[in-house]
Amino acid sequence: MKARASILLGSLSAALVAFALTSPRVVAADKVDPVADARAFQNFFFQKFPTVKHEDFVNGPYSMNEDMKRQWQEKEEFPPYEFALDAGKEMFATPFKNGKTYADCFPNGGIGIRQNYPYFDDKEGKVVTLELALNRCREANGEAPYSYVKDEMASLTAYMAFTSRGKPMDIKIPDDPRALAAFENGKRYFYTRRGQMNFSCASCHVQSPGERIRAEILAPALGILNAMPIYRSEWSGMGTTSRRFVTCNSQTRAVPLEPQADEYRDVEYFLSYVANGLPISGPGARP
Amino acid sequence: MERFYFAIEIIDITPRNDALTAFSRTPVLFILLAIAAGLASPAWAQSAVADGQKLAFDRGKGNCLTCHVIRGGDLPGTIGPELRDLKAKYPDRNELAAIIFDETKRNPQTMMPPFGRNRILTEQEISAIVDFLQTL
């Protein structure tokens, strides 16, 4: 009974936050306020999980469960993403056929910059994620793009995350109506229920983090991208942010979008911005 | 097995408004089914309970274990309350059927999928699950 009451209470307050975040502002109807949204979002999780250290939220399900955390810390001594990290490092250093490298495409040679992705590109008028920027780099240098979901893309992003570990997420939303619209659109996608099961992303990652869905412990939405890409035993390998979005949609019988579809880019922008200040922890390992 | 909770097939988004078409005949059907269940012989009822349990545990159907602890089921989730003593709590079987049909009616924020409204389960299937729930 007690457990039930707290579940209900939890979802009630989640509902309030969800409502506060999604309902059109009654007073200033067209005012998008990412700063206020991020504060409310972070406070919701800090209050719901007062014993979780703020920087721990970036460890997904491990932040929610002590037993799992212990197992994970033991695993980190021989991390299962190591092979991807090594491969990524080597790929990063290997020149393209034209002699250029990935380093030529990124600020600071691509080292220690993960926390700045995704960013809003004012020429294109859209959000650019790290995965997208990597494939654009390849194409600009005459190379074929990689699959967005695993293997090479996961290795490259694993390496770039690793060189940025510990740096606080630092996403900018320029004072540009298109950037604000992208943020708002990502937020809307995140809170909209869809598919036969009628779940939103928030149903699982805002309303129920820490709960078990079957045998899996749900990660909190706060800092949920800081550990990407991740190794998952179920995947017997690495998966990118794109892979996780597609998987979460299709497993709940919602129609997944194409990797790097505009809406996924916007969701990534929203989730990353509201995690500003929390450290990059990728690449991650999951059971 | 990342496939723990729901079946992997991808089904098109069901239009929200199908509640309108589904609802008009629902009460009548539920009453008929309730009467049928009431008049049925114990053997018949027994098999409805067994069917209901199968449907409730089947990952491609009710998959209720994703969220609820249920006696006899493995690897339950913790999102919803344990399902037990339901006959005492909901003496009227129509209440249970309504919760399974569309719990968002009682609680718009619920995570519980609207199994009837979104045609995940038919009315007969829901009725069999109610029979099973009443034994818990």
Side-chain angles (χ1 to χ4, degrees), chain A:
Chain A
M1 281 321 275
K2 207 160 149 253
R4 164 123 203 268
S6 67
I7 287 168
L8 283 176
L9 263 180
S11 38
L12 184 67
S13 44
L16 287 177
V17 164
F19 181 75
L21 283 172
T22 47
S23 66
R25 299 295 145 91
V26 184
V27 199
D30 47 7
K31 180 99 180 67
V32 179
D33 190 346
V35 176
D37 282 354
R39 197 178 310 123
F41 195 90
Q42 297 198 354
N43 281 340
F44 169 77
F45 286 95
F46 295 160
Q47 278 161 22
K48 182 165 179 160
F49 301 103
T51 60
V52 175
K53 287 205 216 80
H54 294 183
E55 66 273 20
D56 270 357
F57 279 100
V58 300
N59 296 317
Y62 303 122
S63 63
M64 303 277 102
N65 185 291
E66 280 302 322
D67 284 345
M68 255 180 105
K69 191 171 174 179
R70 217 167 303 115
Q71 290 170 22
W72 164 60
Q73 279 163 344
E74 283 160 20
K75 226 175 172 178
E76 278 291 294
E77 315 217 334
F78 302 98
Y81 50 72
E82 193 124 283
F83 75 94
L85 206 49
D86 292 344
K89 186 174 184 183
E90 196 180 321
M91 287 163 69
F92 208 80
T94 309
F96 302 125
K97 287 192 280 299
N98 68 4
K100 298 233 165 137
T101 63
Y102 290 106
D104 296 317
C105 296
F106 291 94
N108 199 40
I111 303 303
I113 60 163
R114 160 70 184 92
Q115 69 282 0
N116 302 127
Y117 287 78
Y119 70 95
F120 184 80
D121 182 80
D122 52 10
K123 275 185 235 71
E124 189 187 353
K126 288 186 181 184
V127 171
V128 176
T129 66
L130 187 58
E131 294 169 23
L132 192 62
L134 278 161
N135 262 348
R136 286 187 175 169
C137 174
R138 293 184 58 76
E139 290 184 283
N141 288 290
E143 304 282 336
Y146 286 138
S147 154
Y148 278 112
V149 292
K150 50 190 180 178
D151 303 331
E152 293 94 342
M153 184 58 79
S155 296
L156 285 167
T157 52
Y159 174 64
M160 292 181 81
F162 189 74
T163 68
S164 315
R165 269 196 181 176
K167 299 200 182 222
M169 190 69 95
D170 187 16
I171 306 301
K172 304 271 195 290
I173 300 185
D175 191 13
D176 177 329
R178 298 169 303 172
L180 291 166
F183 174 84
E184 197 65 8
N185 190 40
K187 183 171 86 178
R188 189 181 318 113
Y189 188 88
F190 184 80
Y191 285 101
T192 301
R193 288 181 184 249
R194 61 178 59 80
Q196 203 182 21
M197 295 297 165
N198 201 37
F199 293 139
S200 68
C201 311
S203 303
C204 289
H205 298 293
V206 175
Q207 244 177 296
S208 319
E211 297 296 340
R212 277 179 193 279
I213 186 158
R214 283 278 182 174
E216 293 206 74
I217 293 181
L218 287 166
L222 178 60
I224 200 166
L225 296 176
N226 294 43
M228 304 308 282
I230 48 176
Y231 176 93
R232 287 191 71 88
S233 321
E234 289 85 353
W235 291 341
S236 344
M238 302 289 296
T240 58
T241 299
S242 291
R243 181 173 193 176
R244 194 61 254 190
F245 285 4
V246 168
T247 309
C248 280
N249 272 159
S250 56
Q251 282 182 337
T252 57
R253 301 193 196 168
V255 182
L257 307 174
E258 285 299 313
Q260 301 300 322
D262 288 354
E263 272 181 311
Y264 277 168
R265 287 154 72 178
D266 291 349
V267 174
E268 197 173 330
Y269 197 41
F270 167 71
L271 285 172
S272 303
Y273 180 82
V274 297
N276 267 353
L278 295 181
I280 297 296
S281 57
R286 300 288 177 261

Side-chain angles (χ1 to χ4, degrees), chain B residues 2-19:
Chain B
E2 177 110 0
R3 305 262 138 89
F4 264 146
Y5 29 116
F6 294 114
I8 30 168
E9 77 264 41
I10 296 159
I11 297 170
D12 280 356
I13 296 176
T14 320
R16 293 277 175 83
N17 279 346
D18 63 3

